[in-house]
Amino acid sequence: MPIEFDIDGDIFTAQLFEKEAPKSTNAFRSLLPLESKLFHVRWSGFAVWIDIDDIDLPSLPRENHTVYPSVGDILLYPGFRSVKEILLSCGPTCFKSTAGELAGNHIATLDASRKELMELELSSLEHGAKPVSIREV
């Protein structure tokens, strides 16, 4: 079942990688529907993130994990060494925090063009957080 991301009125979809990251995609689904804010990353390069540190997640293994997501990749980071978050890569990204490099579980890839993602990243950098809603469709 596809997932819909409404980011400040712009609608995108993604298919979850259920075979590659079954526990992580199930945990992600348990968060939905999710209403939050999308922030520009501080350490990782060209990406945005959603803080989910206040949400209880089950203990998750590393599944389909990466430090270097490709453009449009969605990572679920269950808080191994830093806050729990959802990261969306918009360009060259090395997933990091003050704790150093982090490996997030690659759970999906957003169906968006490189141009759309770069505009999202730049807008979040220049204008601040954006409202985001995520739901199953």
Side-chain angles (χ1 to χ4, degrees), residues 5-80:
F5 285 71
D6 180 339
I7 303 171
D8 201 24
D10 293 324
I11 308 296
F12 304 97
T13 59
Q15 290 289 335
L16 293 177
F17 296 151
E18 297 177 68
K19 289 182 183 175
E20 297 87 344
K23 292 180 180 178
S24 297
T25 55
N26 282 338
F28 180 76
R29 269 203 173 98
S30 75
L31 304 175
L32 305 180
L34 178 66
E35 301 279 333
S36 191
K37 291 193 183 267
L38 197 67
F39 300 94
H40 191 274
V41 297
R42 289 176 264 187
W43 312 101
S44 300
F46 297 89
V48 291
W49 69 291
I50 300 168
D51 182 351
I52 56 168
D53 206 41
D54 291 338
I55 297 174
D56 288 330
L57 286 176
S59 179
L60 294 172
R62 295 188 193 280
E63 295 182 305
N64 201 31
H65 57 286
T66 184
V67 174
Y68 298 100
S70 296
V71 174
D73 285 356
I74 300 165
L75 307 184
L76 176 63
Y77 183 73
F80 301 118

Side-chain angles (χ1 to χ4, degrees), residues 39-49 67-68 82-83 85 87 92-102 121 125:
F39 300 94
H40 191 274
V41 297
R42 289 176 264 187
W43 312 101
S44 300
F46 297 89
V48 291
W49 69 291
V67 174
Y68 298 100
S82 187
V83 299
E85 66 181 87
L87 180 111
T93 301
C94 177
F95 189 22
K96 295 180 183 182
S97 76
T98 55
E101 288 185 357
L102 306 173
E121 184 269 338
L125 177 63

